[in-house]
Amino acid sequence: MIDLQDRYSTKLSHYFSEEEATFFMYYKTAEESQEVIKANWDKKEYQFPREILKSIRYYKNIPFFSRLMSKKLAKEQEVKLIEIINDPGNFHWGETTWAIKESSCFFRFFNEENKEIGKLWVCYDGCGMTELRPWVPATKYGGFSEKGKLEFIELINGI
């Protein structure tokens, strides 16, 4: 079905390279990985969305119906979402064990050719976890801090 990719797979090779995964994640200790992440979260090449953005669509995670009920974000909502994603204060270093099928919603990011250039899954109902493609260092391991969760819920309430 067309929406299975929205619910069950983050294997999106054109979003995230193995070289980046190795550079940021494959260290002997979590502390070593965190130091590399911290040293790179403000670098322009690692700011989301990494391409010129044309639009963002919001989807509630409802099998088979999410794409029919999607909403296009207004420009100010797009700016706010990008700010949330690129602010390391909105994320914490905690463990992020969850499955994207548990997400409350997801976002699809499109460039000027209407090609999907990114995707964000968010579980804000309980666990506060996120999964972002392409991943950026500012999101740390993908869990919202209290500040980030509040900012995100405020954004969602306005959509």
Side-chain angles (χ1 to χ4, degrees):
M1 196 87 233
I2 194 165
D3 70 346
L4 288 179
Q5 183 75 1
D6 295 333
R7 232 157 251 98
Y8 293 101
S9 178
T10 60
K11 303 287 188 228
L12 306 168
S13 61
H14 62 283
Y15 291 145
F16 193 63
S17 72
E18 279 300 314
E19 292 81 20
E20 284 179 316
T22 301
F23 177 67
F24 284 109
M25 301 295 174
Y26 299 139
Y27 293 90
K28 289 183 181 178
T29 67
E31 292 78 15
E32 289 175 320
S33 173
Q34 289 171 6
E35 288 305 314
V36 173
I37 290 169
K38 285 179 194 175
N40 286 280
W41 63 39
D42 288 332
K43 291 187 178 174
K44 186 164 178 59
E45 65 264 29
Y46 297 122
Q47 295 289 297
F48 192 81
R50 298 188 185 182
E51 287 189 42
I52 295 173
L53 182 67
K54 178 184 176 193
S55 65
I56 302 172
R57 294 203 66 87
Y58 164 76
Y59 305 80
K60 290 183 180 178
N61 190 2
I62 303 170
F64 310 111
F65 295 102
S66 58
R67 291 201 182 201
L68 297 173
M69 301 181 331
S70 70
K71 295 180 183 177
K72 184 179 182 300
L73 271 63
K75 284 297 173 196
E76 60 272 4
Q77 292 168 328
E78 291 178 358
V79 168
K80 181 62 180 170
L81 181 57
I82 299 300
E83 286 174 356
I84 289 170
I85 291 169
N86 285 313
D87 180 354
N90 288 328
F91 298 89
H92 64 73
W93 291 109
E95 185 178 338
T96 59
T97 304
W98 71 297
I100 63 168
K101 67 181 180 180
E102 300 171 59
S103 64
S104 310
C105 64
F106 58 93
F107 296 83
R108 297 173 72 214
F109 301 81
F110 299 91
N111 67 12
E112 293 187 356
E113 290 86 39
N114 266 350
K115 177 185 171 206
E116 185 177 285
I117 58 169
K119 198 175 250 182
L120 170 66
W121 295 267
V122 181
C123 174
Y124 64 85
D125 290 338
C127 68
M129 297 294 127
T130 67
E131 183 73 34
L132 179 66
R133 293 293 182 258
W135 174 84
V136 294
T139 62
K140 300 174 183 169
Y141 298 142
F144 275 132
S145 65
E146 284 303 312
K147 173 187 171 281
K149 192 172 182 181
L150 290 173
E151 285 188 29
F152 183 79
I153 290 172
E154 183 180 316
L155 172 71
I156 289 296
N157 288 338
I159 297 175

